[in-house]
Structure formats: C-alpha cells, structure tokens
Amino acid sequence: MSLPKELEVLQNFFVKQPNPLLGVETIQVLLFREILDFTVLRTEDTRELNTVITPLSTENDENVQRVAFLGSKQKAVESRQMERLLRTAANEADYPIEECYLKDYLCLECPRCALYGGTNASASKTTNANIKHRVAYSTAFSLAAFEQIQQTTTFNGISDLTVQTGQTLNERISVKPATIFPSIVTLHSVTWKELILMMKIILSSHKYGAESRIGGDVRNTVVGITGGWEEFITPLEFTMELNSEKEKSLSAENVTKILNKYKLLLANQKKSVILSPEQVDDMLKFISGFEIDKKFLTKAYEDVRAYRDVQENSKAKKK
Ligand SMILES: [Zn+2]
C-alpha cells in the first residue's frame, strides 16, 4: 500500500514503519470539541466541575475561570473507540485478531496498543516489552468562562427499595450545550495508516464525560492540521488566541492565521507545514471515504508485528 496522494502534503512527517525509537516527526490535529448536551466534566470523587484560572487571552491577562476538559478523559473515550472500530472492521472483513480490552487485557499486537501504548498483561506474549504511547492529549480549556457555561441541576434521590422519592436533594453541575473546547491531539512518529485511524476516531467519538449515560454528547470538528519536527501550539494557547482575536472568529481561516503566528516560534521552521483550510477539507473528505478493509487491516497489523520484532530483536542482542 502506498501513500495516498491526498496525504502527500504531510509526507515528510510520517514514518514508514512504527518504531519503538521515536523521531521528532509531529502531526498536530486541532479541533473544536463542541458539547451538544449537558456534560459532566469532573473527576470521580468530587461533585464540582474541573475548573482552572487562566488569563482571558493572549492580549488581556485579566483572570478568568475556565472549565477544564482533562486529556485523560478525552484519551479514555478515544482509545476505546479505536478498539471498537478495529474489532468491528476485523469482524466484517473476516480478519482474525486477538482480544484486546482496557484496562487489564491489552493485546500489545494491534494498532490501538501501538498508538496508545500499554504495559504487558499476559505472560504468554512473545515479548514482555511495553509499548510507549505515540498519541498525546492535553487538557482542553473552555472558550467561554465557567459562569457562562455551567448549569446546576437539583434532583431527588430515589430509593431503590421503595421506589419513592427520598428526602435528599442531589446536585449535578454540568457544562451547557453549545460550549466549545478548543483541543489538540498530537501524533508522534506515526504512519499514514495510523493518521487515517486516528482521524476516524476523532471524528466518530461522540460520548464523553463522567456520567455519559445521561448527556455527554459531543461533536469533534477538525479545524487545523500541522506537520513539523515539534509541536506548534498548546491547547491553552489555542483557547487564549481564539479569545484575543477582535472578531473572535472560529473559522478555519482564523485558525490558520493563529498557526502562522506560532510557526515563527518553531525551532525548525523549514521542517514544518500548515495545511490550508481547503487542504484540511480535502483530507477529511478522503479519510471519511476511506474504507478499513482486509487489505488495510492486514498491513496495519503487520506494522505492529514488525514493531514488536524490533523490540524482541534488540532484547535478543543484549542477551
Ligand atoms: Zn491491542
């Protein structure tokens, strides 16, 4: 399988084979995570939303309280979505794969494990080496301030025994629909096949949050893609920039403008590319239409086997 022409614009930032020793090839996917139903973004043991104080924008350092959408919460959903996609596609294509599930039985032989990493769970494996993750998530910060996007709902606890409303009033604090979290997924030393898988996962993940059985609907919209020998921008900078533009435009053109500003900060400017809004559109169309068939799966799983062979051989050499 050769590199599709629709992905050629990023060709200098792909690796031919995934390898345990990472290079500096870095692809950043910038996206808006738009909340479409009440969503609880909190850590398990508190009832509060995760919030943090940050400057309002890059031009205005007045403090503002923002809701934080933790990287670990984004990753948990998308890693599972990857496992489901691979399992369903393999079923349909009649391609045999090992069982792999979070968090205690990772196969370490599939593209999910090769991208998200994992530690060895089973002694029967040919190699005990762990896999280092090549997908990085960071906390995303709400575009708007906490006061504007939070809603408290009070509800009565219902007794299981009597099925009657109890005396206790519980509170749920959630993020309101139409809230936007500018976010970034960063890929290190990936193949073009891995980029296709990651983009499909970002576009097809829709349920996030602590109580995702109620609410938690999210739509991810990709608004920018960069290639480089390093990262262009962080999610906090992205949110602050979008607040500093006078028109506060969320258009892909505006995102490109912001990225061009950050390009000047790169240590390797000649080794970088910012996709134009049209190039991003074309790439998304191509990837959405791309089928995860038997040929693709075979190649993607072979790549992981080759990765494991490299680990196994280097261990053998040491012995
Ligand atoms: Zn796996």
Side-chain angles (χ1 to χ4, degrees):
M1 282 184 116
S2 52
L3 175 70
K5 67 171 183 354
E6 290 82 356
L7 304 183
E8 271 171 9
V9 57
L10 286 171
Q11 63 184 337
N12 295 333
F13 309 99
F14 291 127
V15 293
K16 290 213 165 57
Q17 290 278 327
N19 195 295
L21 297 176
L22 303 191
V24 290
E25 303 88 352
T26 307
I27 294 172
Q28 286 198 298
V29 181
L30 287 83
L31 60 147
F32 293 147
R33 299 188 186 276
E34 187 180 3
I35 307 293
L36 297 174
D37 195 354
F38 295 97
T39 299
V40 182
L41 295 175
R42 58 166 167 74
T43 30
E44 310 314 330
D45 46 351
T46 84
R47 296 219 145 261
E48 307 291 311
L49 288 178
N50 293 121
T51 62
V52 63
I53 306 282
T54 75
L56 173 65
S57 76
T58 36
E59 289 150 3
N60 181 343
D61 52 14
E62 172 196 331
N63 279 338
V64 53
Q65 189 178 17
R66 290 194 151 98
V67 177
F69 190 164
L70 299 182
S72 54
K73 300 277 170 193
Q74 305 166 38
K75 180 187 163 181
V77 169
E78 290 170 20
S79 166
R80 281 191 167 83
Q81 179 78 1
M82 175 77 84
E83 186 277 318
R84 285 187 196 147
L85 172 74
L86 290 169
R87 182 156 39 85
T88 309
N91 258 333
E92 204 197 72
D94 231 351
Y95 181 79
I97 58 167
E98 286 231 14
E99 270 198 322
C100 175
Y101 46 87
L102 289 166
K103 64 180 188 15
D104 295 322
Y105 195 90
L106 298 175
C107 72
L108 303 188
E109 290 177 14
C110 74
R112 191 219 73 86
C113 291
L115 278 163
Y116 285 91
T119 50
N120 197 37
S122 162
S124 68
K125 300 290 175 208
T126 50
T127 169
N128 294 319
N130 299 326
I131 298 182
K132 187 179 161 49
H133 68 88
R134 286 176 294 131
V135 186
Y137 290 84
S138 330
T139 301
F141 303 90
S142 60
L143 198 58
F146 170 73
E147 311 84 75
Q148 293 162 23
I149 60 172
Q150 68 89 28
Q151 178 151 321
T152 307
T153 335
T154 315
F155 59 97
N156 287 83
I158 293 181
S159 160
D160 277 344
L161 190 64
T162 59
V163 201
Q164 279 175 339
T165 311
Q167 299 294 312
T168 49
L169 281 179
N170 291 319
E171 262 190 358
R172 183 187 299 123
I173 308 176
S174 52
V175 174
K176 282 198 257 187
T179 300
I180 289 175
F181 289 85
S183 175
I184 301 173
V185 178
T186 304
L187 309 175
H188 297 284
S189 301
V190 298
T191 65
W192 64 263
K193 290 175 232 78
E194 290 174 322
L195 176 76
I196 288 185
L197 285 172
M198 280 309 304
M199 296 294 274
K200 281 187 179 287
I201 293 313
I202 290 169
L203 297 172
S204 65
S205 294
H206 295 292
K207 279 281 185 187
Y208 294 81
E211 293 175 17
S212 54
R213 64 188 181 279
I214 32 170
D217 294 335
V218 173
R219 178 171 297 282
N220 296 323
T221 306
V222 173
V223 290
I225 299 174
T226 64
W229 276 15
E230 63 204 282
E231 290 162 13
F232 269 71
I233 186 167
T234 66
L236 179 58
E237 289 165 332
F238 191 23
T239 290
M240 282 166 55
E241 287 292 342
L242 290 166
N243 268 283
S244 75
E245 296 294 323
K246 278 201 183 74
E247 69 276 27
K248 289 188 180 172
S249 162
L250 298 181
S251 68
E253 286 73 19
N254 196 35
V255 172
T256 312
K257 203 165 102 189
I258 293 168
L259 287 171
N260 271 302
K261 187 170 142 187
Y262 279 74
K263 184 179 173 173
L264 303 176
L265 303 176
L266 294 182
N268 302 286
Q269 293 179 22
K270 293 209 166 132
K271 304 289 185 189
S272 71
V273 65
I274 300 167
L275 270 62
S276 69
E278 297 73 34
Q279 285 172 319
V280 172
D281 262 8
D282 288 349
M283 193 174 285
L284 292 175
K285 266 189 209 123
F286 170 73
I287 290 173
S288 306
F290 189 93
E291 237 189 295
I292 307 292
D293 57 10
K294 192 165 196 168
K295 193 174 153 205
F296 180 90
L297 285 170
T298 308
K299 196 71 195 73
Y301 276 81
E302 274 172 13
D303 279 354
V304 185
R305 209 158 303 133
Y307 178 107
R308 298 299 271 168
D309 285 347
V310 172
Q311 288 187 313
E312 183 63 9
N313 291 338
S314 79
K315 256 177 61 195
K317 257 185 249 160
K318 266 189 219 145
K319 274 179 190 164

